[in-house]
Amino acid sequence: MTTDEMKTSADHAVHAHTRRRWGWTLPILLALILGFLESSSRTGLGYLAGWADHFVLSTEGIQWARPDAYANDWFMQSAPQPHWFFDLITFGGESLHILPFVYGAYWAAGLLAFGAATVLLARHLVPSASTAVAVLVTVVAGLMPWMLGGTGTPVIAIALPAVLSANMIYLLIAGMLTGRRVLVVIMGPAVAVIHVQQGSIAIVLMVALLIVEAVRDRRVDWWLALAGALTAGVVGFGLLIRPVASNLADFVEICDTMIPYHCAAHTWDAREIVSTIGLILLTVLSVFAVPRARRWLWLSTVGLATLGYAGGFIMDALSVPFLGPLAQGVNVYRLAAVLIPFAVWGAVSPLLTRARGWRFLVLLAAWGLGWLMMLTSWGFGSAGLPIPRFILYTLALLIPFAAFAILRHRRKDRPRTRSLTALIASVLILAAAAGNGALTLRPLDLTLTPFPEFRTWGEQAEKLVPAGETIVASPQLVWIKFVSERAVIADCKNVPYGGEPWTQWKQRLDEMGGWEQCIDITAPGFNTLDAEDLIDLADRYDSDFIAVATDVPEQLDGMQRAGWEPVVDADGDAYAVLFRRPGT
């Protein structure tokens, strides 16, 4: 077999033999590799449950199982989240007292979806080196930053609908590229069950491919049509039971003020802009891993998503009237989750391309530019390192890629050369990551809220604060509501998408010092209020409990002078004292 991986009967024989030999073993192995890298990455805190986005997404399901939890919470009553299936599995896990294990399985499902998609593509694109290339793609993906191009990447070590759906839509597109129509029929609706917006993206991609196939082949792919119809039905069901209360103007305001990284590219700094351009360029390069005769499939799916994302990003970044706000309003940045896995394939494209001579040199230059630009992203910082991280990562891939190109140019490559090169590249980039502190071994802790001091604070508060009572607390103390399972006035994490809840949220924040404190921790806010102001808030919201941060001694002293009793002390990082109204 030649190193060009031409589509011959020999290729298909290798493909079939590899599939029989590995079965599901390889996808499971890749899932384990990816899970290890995600939980070991220094970009984040390892695997997390009961923290971060779970402050918003887990409360509804927990309340279904235990109605006293979060009773009377304004945000939950006014702005329910669209992820109904996540609420359902949270309810089931909490009811059976196995929620940490349910969340662990949910996260593992995303890992397995990534592994299956990667194996499927590797066997289709490079059958003679599928195992080694699949390992390399997984290793590179596992070292990606948690945030890229305005979205969380599919390699965040946490059970979230956005993460699982991103890995599932990767598997869906892999099925579309490889002609696995039964897989497409299964995965399309499944993506929509997990995440309605990603389900909508899946519908667009399936309709686009359906149209292209109908024009190109003069036939209707009824399997693809069935997948699209089922997915549309699930999306419609999700929007019916959980309509998103928003409008364009509100969502643009939210983007510009509260979540600019996620949907306001015109506010980004140079690093965020450059890394996003690198993401787009690497995704485009992934087309060169696809045989020329099959590139129309890539153009109809990955290419369409890349075009939509790049167009929306440019319109927003340049503040183009109407089109820029429109890109924000439809949240075009969700498409980044579609691009990211294929950007990883673009990152290994010099090993997969059939280009030779000057064409290969052009591809290698484009690869180097895209790779270096992406490495400017948050999470690849090199402060304090003797050799910048981006140099080590680049050399770890460039050296084996260049050696492979030279061997192929001199006709000295052998059937296993590509496999050996991929494995060497995997080892080198892992060594680079471990050597510069990008990885740290952590035990897998499935505990819900894995920080003991926060759990202890919450357990004490839950016992003392009656169900249905509202705690007056700084909006910046976003953990208080979750760990105590008691209502709060409003906080900086639970932000409505728009409509009347958005207006009410701003009014509540104004009463607590202004919404600016949510995006700038140094901005004047709750901490500038005196004890009388806090007691007035408690009176207004019929509350007998006020939480005060230990870094605001004036409030602590004022509450004690007013006769309020401290009933829960601060504990390490849980740096708040809970006061109870005198006489209650």
Side-chain angles (χ1 to χ4, degrees):
M1 180 185 295
T2 68
T3 57
D4 287 337
E5 301 290 4
M6 302 300 291
K7 286 295 176 185
T8 63
S9 59
D11 276 354
H12 292 294
V14 172
H15 187 175
H17 174 71
T18 303
R19 183 170 61 249
R20 288 193 302 269
R21 184 179 61 186
W22 283 98
W24 274 96
T25 304
L26 185 55
I28 293 171
L29 175 63
L30 298 186
L32 291 173
I33 293 172
L34 184 62
F36 169 77
L37 293 175
E38 286 185 15
S39 59
S40 301
S41 171
R42 290 290 296 274
T43 302
L45 298 174
Y47 174 80
L48 283 177
W51 203 252
D53 283 1
H54 285 171
F55 291 165
V56 181
L57 300 181
S58 296
T59 53
E60 186 77 17
I62 291 174
Q63 190 183 58
W64 288 358
R66 292 186 286 107
D68 284 350
Y70 313 107
N72 197 38
D73 183 72
W74 165 81
F75 177 82
M76 292 176 62
Q77 294 173 346
S78 303
Q81 298 300 291
H83 308 298
W84 59 270
F85 184 76
F86 193 77
D87 292 340
L88 192 62
I89 65 115
T90 300
F91 163 71
E94 184 68 15
S95 299
L96 298 173
H97 307 290
I98 56 170
L99 185 56
F101 300 100
V102 170
Y103 279 177
Y106 191 96
W107 171 57
L111 300 177
L112 188 59
F114 181 95
T118 301
V119 169
L120 195 60
L121 288 173
R123 289 172 177 170
H124 187 77
L125 300 176
V126 278
S128 67
S130 59
T131 300
V133 169
V135 169
L136 176 59
V137 168
T138 302
V139 169
V140 173
L143 298 176
M144 295 283 280
W146 275 25
M147 306 296 291
L148 185 62
T151 191
T153 70
V155 295
I156 299 178
I158 188 171
L160 290 178
V163 175
L164 175 56
S165 65
N167 285 312
M168 290 172 66
I169 205 168
Y170 173 39
L171 180 55
L172 170 70
I173 296 175
M176 295 166 73
L177 292 175
T178 58
R180 301 297 184 92
R181 289 299 183 256
V182 174
L183 176 63
V184 172
V185 170
I186 295 171
M187 294 307 302
V191 169
V193 166
I194 300 300
H195 198 293
V196 169
Q197 192 169 20
Q198 292 288 24
S200 301
I201 292 172
I203 293 171
V204 172
L205 297 181
M206 286 187 282
V207 169
L209 183 57
L210 189 65
I211 293 173
V212 171
E213 282 194 340
V215 172
R216 186 176 183 274
D217 300 335
R218 299 185 182 279
R219 66 178 181 86
V220 176
D221 187 331
W222 293 109
W223 283 103
L224 195 56
L226 175 63
L230 291 174
T231 307
V234 175
V235 168
F237 172 77
L239 293 176
L240 180 65
I241 63 173
R242 292 286 179 84
V244 179
S246 183
N247 60 59
L248 181 62
D250 284 349
F251 193 73
V252 170
E253 181 184 3
I254 293 166
C255 287
D256 290 345
T257 56
M258 300 305 304
I259 49 173
Y261 178 73
H262 289 293
C263 49
H266 59 275
T267 68
W268 292 358
D269 59 24
R271 167 180 282 193
E272 291 161 345
I273 293 287
V274 169
S275 62
T276 299
I277 296 173
L279 166 66
I280 295 169
L281 180 53
L282 286 178
T283 305
V284 170
L285 291 182
S286 68
V287 72
F288 294 104
V290 181
R292 189 184 301 274
R294 306 289 288 172
R295 286 179 185 171
W296 64 273
L297 286 168
W298 184 97
L299 292 171
S300 303
T301 53
V302 182
L304 179 63
T306 305
L307 180 63
Y309 176 82
F313 162 69
I314 292 170
M315 294 300 103
D316 181 14
L318 298 179
S319 298
V320 177
F322 178 71
L323 294 178
L326 180 63
Q328 291 181 270
V330 301
N331 200 3
V332 71
Y333 299 94
R334 282 290 182 196
L335 286 169
V338 179
L339 271 62
I340 288 169
F342 291 95
V344 177
W345 280 94
V348 301
S349 58
L351 187 61
L352 310 179
T353 180
R354 298 155 182 80
R356 295 177 180 270
W358 66 268
R359 290 184 178 85
F360 177 81
L361 293 177
V362 171
L363 174 71
L364 190 65
W367 166 83
L369 179 63
W371 180 246
L372 289 172
M373 292 175 77
M374 193 187 70
L375 292 188
T376 64
S377 172
W378 177 82
F380 283 114
S382 303
L385 298 177
I387 302 177
R389 187 169 294 165
F390 74 92
I391 292 180
L392 290 175
Y393 281 15
T394 301
L395 290 176
L397 295 182
L398 178 61
I399 291 173
F401 289 173
F404 174 75
I406 292 171
L407 288 174
R408 193 174 61 161
H409 178 71
R410 295 181 177 180
R411 310 286 183 178
K412 293 184 178 181
D413 56 324
R414 298 291 184 270
R416 296 186 181 276
T417 303
R418 182 178 272 115
S419 293
L420 183 60
T421 303
L423 291 176
I424 291 173
S426 300
V427 171
L428 288 178
I429 197 166
L430 278 174
N436 67 30
L439 296 175
T440 182
L441 292 177
R442 297 188 182 100
L444 182 61
D445 185 0
L446 298 179
T447 306
L448 206 65
T449 310
F451 309 110
E453 61 270 28
F454 289 99
R455 290 201 307 272
T456 300
W457 196 100
E459 289 165 359
Q460 293 176 356
E462 182 186 1
K463 293 176 182 177
L464 292 166
V465 180
E469 181 81 41
T470 296
I471 297 175
V472 176
S474 167
Q476 293 180 343
L477 299 178
V478 296
W479 49 271
I480 282 183
K481 170 183 167 179
F482 186 82
V483 301
S484 68
E485 297 189 355
R486 294 296 179 257
V488 296
I489 297 173
D491 65 36
C492 295
K493 187 68 176 175
N494 291 268
V495 181
Y497 291 126
E500 182 59 27
W502 167 240
T503 301
Q504 293 180 19
W505 182 87
K506 289 187 291 183
Q507 292 171 349
R508 288 170 175 252
L509 264 289
D510 285 342
E511 294 173 352
M512 293 189 288
W515 58 264
E516 292 84 0
Q517 63 190 304
C518 290
I519 56 175
D520 181 3
I521 60 174
T522 65
F526 189 88
N527 293 347
T528 64
L529 304 179
D530 59 28
E532 279 190 24
D533 296 326
L534 299 183
I535 295 171
D536 286 344
L537 272 174
D539 293 340
R540 192 175 308 146
Y541 288 96
D542 194 24
S543 172
D544 293 329
F545 294 87
I546 298 175
V548 176
T550 55
D551 58 358
V552 193
E554 299 84 359
Q555 290 182 348
L556 292 172
D557 294 340
M559 294 301 298
Q560 290 178 327
R561 286 196 302 269
W564 284 59
E565 177 189 4
V567 291
V568 178
D569 290 329
D571 183 8
D573 289 335
Y575 59 101
V577 177
L578 184 65
F579 288 90
R580 180 169 57 192
R581 188 186 295 271
T584 58

